[in-house]
Amino acid sequence: MEHLFEKIVAGDIPSYKVYEDELVYSFLDINPLAPGHTLVIPKKKYVKIHEVPDETAAAIGKVLPRIARAIMKATGCENYNILQNNGRPAHQEVPHVHFHIIPKPNKDSGLKVGWPAKSISEGEAIQKRIVET
């Protein structure tokens, strides 16, 4: 069963496409936080970033800066956020990996982020588990 982004890639749902290659599709967000708010997605559906094959991840990584430059030039905006969420508790609304490129033209437009930072605890133990995995 196709989901929203798969239907957009297939052309079954119209989009304002800004980029496409064999592995990646990019289009304007229909509910933008600022003018130029764009999504960059793998054409094939993967729910979370760790599921994306290296080749597809590299293709996304290669085009993200290119698309960001184009958005900044088109909007005249110098600042922006790139956001990618994994899982509904982490605010992923569409179960298909997607990167938001969100221009930040001023303090009131674009992404607003709260960052409840805490002190690192058990840093060495966590580092070791990550490195050994």
Side-chain angles (χ1 to χ4, degrees), residues 33-107:
L33 296 180
H37 180 166
T38 300
L39 300 178
V40 180
I41 68 170
K43 284 184 166 181
K44 184 175 177 187
K45 180 183 175 187
Y46 304 97
V47 176
K48 296 180 179 180
I49 193 72
H50 68 272
E51 299 168 353
V52 177
D54 290 347
E55 180 184 6
T56 302
I60 292 168
K62 181 178 177 181
V63 301
L64 270 171
R66 184 183 312 161
I67 296 168
R69 285 190 294 271
I71 294 166
M72 297 309 101
K73 185 174 182 180
T75 63
C77 189
E78 294 181 20
N79 304 302
Y80 58 96
N81 296 91
I82 294 181
L83 175 68
Q84 197 278 319
N85 301 321
N86 294 277
R88 194 168 266 310
H91 309 288
Q92 182 182 21
E93 295 297 320
V94 177
H96 186 129
V97 167
H98 56 287
F99 291 80
H100 294 261
I101 302 174
I102 308 167
K104 185 70 173 162
N106 58 57
K107 69 176 186 164

Side-chain angles (χ1 to χ4, degrees), residues 1-4 6-7 45:
M1 176 179 182
E2 288 187 340
H3 286 85
L4 177 65
E6 292 169 296
K7 290 178 181 178
K45 180 183 175 187

